[in-house]
Amino acid sequence: MTRTPIDRRQALRWLGGAGAASLLAACGGRAPEASAGTGNTASRGARVVVIGGGFGGATAARYLKRLDPGLHVTLLEPAERFYTCPFTNLYLGGLREFESLGHDYQQLRRLGVNVVHALAEDVDPVGHSVTLAGGERLPYDRLILSPGIDIRWDALEGYDRAAAELAPHAWKAGAQTHRLKRQLEAMEDGGTFVLVAPANPFRCPPGPYERVSQIAHYFKTHKPRSKILLLDAKDAFSKQGLFMDGWRELYGDMIEWVGLSGDGRVVRVDADRLEVETEFGTLHRADVLNVVPPQRAGFIAERAGVTDASGWVPVNPRDFSSAQVEDVYVIGDATEAAPMPKSGFCANAQGKVVAFAAAASLAGDPAPEPVWANTCYSVIGPDYGITVAGVYRVIDGQIAEVPGSGGVSPRGADAGFRRREARYAAAWYQAICEDTWGTVV
Amino acid sequence: MKHLRREQALTAVTRERFVLTRTVIVALLAGVALLALFGPADAAAAERPWQRLPAASALLDGAQPTVTGLTLELPLVSDDGAAVALTVAADRPVDVIHLFATRNPAPEIAVFRFLDAQVHPRVATRVRLNESQQVIALARTADGHWLATSREIRITVSGCLARADAPGADAEMTPRVRAPSRLGRGETAELLAMITHPMETGLREAADGTRVTRRLVSRFELSLADTPLFKAELYAAVSANPFLRLQWAPTTPGELQLRWVEDGGREALDRSDITLR
């Protein structure tokens, strides 16, 4: 037997997640019976290019390099400092500094990952190369795409790039988030904040509901006469009962939710007037308007030929390899991985599964049997957290939630329970960022 | 789904045995498609989902439907089987469109009857799909010819999308309508209709374990100036708060009437005036 660069116990420890190990050991993506054959000399010197340095891509690059230090792993990410979407709502609510959501790539470099801050502009899946915005070509043996989402600018009448300057989406962390925060701060007490929520699927299913919770917290502490209207293209949403209980308990009747059957589906945006029109012709005017628009996989996925007619990426469930293009793996929000939600936690779990699968494939071995897990924490108020969790496996050839796994926080739990879950949320963020970027918040 | 699996299987085979460019793979896939087209006629017919579903084949009664001219728009994958957006459209005038869900507890979704040329054969609605399955549409033209189409859809129920309790019954049977009150003669416009109703399937259990009685808005009728334009028969597979989006081009002014009838006889009526330029 050849000597492997890591032993199984070590691998499990990493997969369990550094830091708050107890949390991630229960929930992280892991491949318990993994024998990825990473010592096989066939994989020596193989080139893996990872596009996207978020939860999925950074995790994949980091775990690949740990599994097999002999691999040449290049991570392409335009931003030198990556700001996470998770917890931007807490920044909007005033519970968190924006800088605390930023992560750099020092630890990945220290591991030997070649981090290149450049935009990947094109993929040649036949010639096995990636073209950077500067024209440079990077050859690969295996390509891992973690491209996140792009906004579908043509999907909602009146909502284009110019409109997003006036009515931000703030669904990618950065300038859009700051714009929304400034608008909320400039709004007078007694104003109306309107959030437009899209139909499924979209990034972070509980995100719009956590966002209005956090903005309600900001209003309650700074502008208590203000109102929040949530116009939704759905009749049901993630953790609905828990959110609505929390809204009533903490914010009284400040938040009004209008679902699909109450004419909540917005069909037109007039960003100049901060006005939206619903399906049945009701006009709503906002003082601050936040439109979470329809989305699709990040553009590089389309360039690589891995997207289907839906704009998202179909993958082979067992190893998240593209269902359409050879030697390409796709992870994170861009994929059709339902019932796994489009969450940072899932992207991280998929990143680990893909690291094992790509390493095994390069060594000529089959991919190990995957297990994924997810927890979505939502922080409704400073001392009020709720969760949904799930464990996923491949069952009958498709990704499925393991029967009896996971679940949501109990309805009617006491204040201590909610306070502890708010603390766990902060611990979760710290642990998953450490696991993904090696950064300590 | 069958087709998708075939593509995947083929890709897997090529991955093991050959190094092929995408062009070659595409050519191979095209070959598979050609085989399907020109394969033995009996075998191809036996594959058709409307031949396999008794409710659909009974309607056809041995007729061979045309497989072009009728389109069914559905998402490839839906995270929420409780309300899946569906649009069915024919490229020629038809008298009736039937919709079926092959793997629901009961296959019937809805029947749309086009009684007047002022309503075009294009209807959008929201449906319940119990699991991944084929959805079938059959349409019959005035001369008795049938059109057929089907679509495969994958339904997943995300753990992040748990449903809450149904809202209260106080606002049931409240209609909501969007129709342009004034438009050009023969100008095509949209007509939207929705009514608040739980569409109880009779399969659901209440919190106390008892079965909730089946109760549906089972009929919808549209008329303009006393001329019936469109009728729909709705089954348990139509989502709660039945929604219909029609395309119409009114040619006579007058009172627009929309009527919903619950299977117990309860009715709701919406009236408005349509003027034409």
Side-chain angles (χ1 to χ4, degrees):
Chain A
M1 198 181 129
T2 54
R3 189 182 162 276
T4 55
I6 56 163
D7 66 29
R8 186 169 299 169
R9 219 174 54 212
Q10 212 173 354
L12 279 173
R13 197 158 64 235
W14 287 332
L15 288 170
S22 59
L23 194 71
L24 278 175
C27 304
R30 58 210 152 90
E33 297 310 319
S35 65
T38 45
N40 190 323
T41 49
S43 67
R44 284 281 157 191
R47 299 154 304 182
V48 181
V49 174
V50 182
I51 299 180
F55 284 101
T59 301
R62 196 157 181 256
Y63 277 83
L64 267 171
K65 200 66 189 168
R66 288 169 139 190
L67 279 170
D68 187 349
L71 288 173
H72 293 294
V73 180
T74 300
L75 176 65
L76 299 174
E77 165 56 48
E80 291 184 20
R81 196 168 163 76
F82 184 94
Y83 293 89
T84 63
C85 261
F87 276 40
T88 51
N89 288 333
L90 279 68
Y91 161 68
L92 294 171
L95 301 185
R96 193 105 193 179
E97 294 297 319
F98 194 73
E99 270 315 305
S100 76
L101 311 179
H103 304 274
D104 64 27
Y105 295 91
Q106 290 309 318
Q107 295 304 319
L108 269 75
R109 286 207 171 88
R110 204 158 289 169
L111 263 180
V113 175
N114 176 30
V115 183
V116 179
H117 295 299
L119 181 73
E121 206 169 65
D122 207 355
V123 173
D124 174 2
V126 178
H128 282 61
S129 72
V130 176
T131 307
L132 304 186
E136 193 190 338
R137 274 167 170 269
L138 283 181
Y140 67 81
D141 296 301
R142 296 291 183 278
L143 176 64
I144 298 173
L145 299 177
S146 187
I149 56 148
D150 271 354
I151 305 299
R152 289 179 56 196
W153 294 112
D154 56 351
L156 177 57
E157 187 185 339
Y159 198 71
D160 55 14
R161 283 187 178 79
E165 302 289 296
L166 303 167
H169 55 78
W171 221 240
K172 293 182 174 189
Q176 278 276 312
T177 321
H178 293 302
R179 188 179 301 275
L180 180 58
K181 174 90 163 159
R182 279 197 306 273
Q183 290 182 352
L184 289 165
E185 285 168 355
M187 191 188 90
E188 288 188 16
D189 188 11
T192 301
F193 170 72
V194 176
L195 187 143
V196 176
N200 296 317
F202 64 99
R203 161 178 279 179
C204 191
Y209 316 97
E210 185 189 56
R211 176 163 293 175
V212 295
S213 309
Q214 285 294 322
I215 289 171
H217 170 70
Y218 167 72
F219 284 169
K220 187 180 174 182
T221 43
H222 293 88
K223 295 162 185 176
R225 294 189 296 114
S226 306
K227 288 284 175 199
I228 295 176
L229 176 64
L230 207 170
L231 298 171
D232 208 329
K234 302 178 290 301
D235 262 338
F237 61 85
S238 174
K239 293 177 275 188
Q240 185 166 358
L242 289 165
F243 268 113
M244 289 184 152
D245 290 350
W247 293 344
R248 268 192 303 275
E249 284 174 43
L250 300 181
Y251 309 116
D253 58 359
M254 184 186 275
I255 300 171
E256 184 190 356
W257 173 76
V258 180
L260 180 68
S261 53
D263 193 24
R265 181 171 167 251
V266 167
V267 295
R268 188 178 62 86
V269 175
D270 184 338
D272 289 319
R273 299 166 61 96
L274 296 181
E275 196 173 76
V276 295
E277 181 181 346
T278 60
E279 197 162 48
F280 283 89
T282 312
L283 295 175
H284 298 278
R285 241 199 57 78
D287 294 291
V288 175
L289 176 60
N290 179 193
V291 178
V292 182
Q295 301 149 27
R296 62 174 168 223
F299 82 99
I300 195 69
E302 201 179 312
R303 303 294 306 164
V306 295
T307 51
D308 66 19
S310 71
W312 302 103
V313 178
V315 292
N316 296 312
R318 196 183 155 93
D319 60 359
F320 274 65
S321 59
S322 162
Q324 299 176 183
V325 179
E326 284 191 62
D327 296 332
V328 178
Y329 298 84
V330 191
I331 50 177
D333 294 348
T335 59
E336 293 165 18
M340 293 183 81
K342 297 186 186 303
S343 73
F345 201 147
C346 282
N348 169 276
Q350 292 158 7
K352 293 170 190 176
V353 164
V354 155
F356 270 97
S361 158
L362 286 165
D365 294 331
E369 180 73 30
V371 184
W372 304 270
N374 177 65
T375 305
C376 292
Y377 282 94
S378 298
V379 182
I380 298 180
D383 294 315
Y384 199 116
I386 57 172
T387 47
V388 57
V391 181
Y392 306 89
R393 281 181 177 274
V394 178
I395 300 173
D396 297 333
Q398 301 209 314
I399 299 168
E401 189 163 356
V402 174
S405 73
V408 295
S409 310
R411 295 286 288 273
D414 63 22
F417 193 96
R418 302 291 187 228
R419 192 180 316 115
R420 284 194 295 280
E421 288 222 289
R423 284 203 206 119
Y424 299 157
W428 166 81
Y429 184 79
Q430 187 173 329
I432 199 151
C433 291
E434 192 175 338
D435 188 48
T436 301
W437 293 280
T439 47
V440 178
V441 188
Chain B
M1 184 55 70
K2 180 155 275 180
H3 189 62
L4 189 69
R5 287 217 187 96
R6 195 181 283 168
E7 283 184 25
Q8 284 173 353
L10 191 67
T11 311
V13 168
T14 54
R15 188 178 296 171
E16 277 173 21
R17 294 186 188 162
F18 311 107
V19 180
L20 288 174
T21 64
R22 253 160 109 195
T23 320
V24 176
I25 294 170
V26 167
L28 280 172
L29 288 175
V32 172
L34 283 174
L35 279 177
L37 275 179
F38 296 114
D42 292 346
E47 281 290 297
R48 300 297 193 189
W50 46 86
Q51 308 289 5
R52 287 199 301 268
L53 185 74
S57 64
L59 262 182
L60 290 171
D61 194 22
Q64 284 296 328
T66 304
V67 293
T68 54
L70 191 63
T71 54
L72 198 48
E73 292 166 32
L74 283 167
L76 297 169
V77 181
S78 177
D79 283 358
D80 181 8
V84 180
L86 177 156
T87 303
V88 63
D91 68 353
R92 65 202 74 176
V94 297
D95 281 356
V96 60
I97 294 177
H98 296 260
L99 292 174
F100 297 99
T102 52
R103 298 188 70 175
N104 269 12
E108 292 82 8
I109 299 175
V111 180
F112 302 135
R113 299 187 189 277
F114 303 88
L115 310 176
D116 188 289
Q118 291 176 73
V119 172
H120 297 170
R122 179 181 184 86
V123 182
T125 185
R126 293 166 187 149
V127 302
R128 291 169 169 153
L129 297 173
N130 201 40
E131 56 183 297
S132 300
Q133 57 185 297
Q134 295 268 356
V135 175
I136 296 171
L138 297 178
R140 198 186 63 230
T141 61
D143 60 8
H145 190 79
W146 286 93
L147 311 175
T149 192
S150 68
R151 277 287 308 275
E152 179 81 31
I153 177 166
R154 192 158 86 81
I155 302 295
T156 66
V157 180
S158 169
C160 266
L161 294 166
R163 284 187 80 82
D165 302 335
D170 48 342
E172 263 183 39
M173 294 297 277
T174 308
R176 211 185 273 275
V177 175
R178 186 174 196 179
S181 57
R182 198 179 149 77
L183 72 172
R185 196 174 296 270
E187 181 186 332
T188 302
E190 281 192 342
L191 177 65
L192 276 70
M194 178 160 67
I195 189 155
T196 51
H197 196 277
M199 295 295 276
E200 287 294 352
T201 58
L203 302 170
R204 193 172 69 89
E205 278 185 5
D208 62 4
T210 58
R211 187 151 291 198
V212 180
T213 311
R214 179 182 166 100
R215 193 160 57 86
L216 303 172
V217 170
S218 52
R219 279 193 294 147
F220 169 79
E221 296 165 5
L222 173 77
S223 67
L224 177 61
D226 296 325
T227 306
L229 300 186
F230 174 84
K231 278 185 185 176
E233 290 140 43
L234 310 177
Y235 295 87
V238 170
S239 299
N241 309 305
F243 169 90
L244 290 166
R245 187 169 67 227
L246 307 175
Q247 271 200 344
W248 69 326
T251 52
T252 48
E255 189 182 67
L256 179 72
Q257 276 201 14
L258 292 85
R259 184 192 303 273
W260 292 261
V261 185
E262 201 184 35
D263 42 18
R266 194 159 53 139
E267 291 192 15
L269 187 65
D270 183 278
R271 282 190 268 223
S272 58
D273 281 318
I274 301 291
T275 55
L276 299 177
R277 284 194 298 274

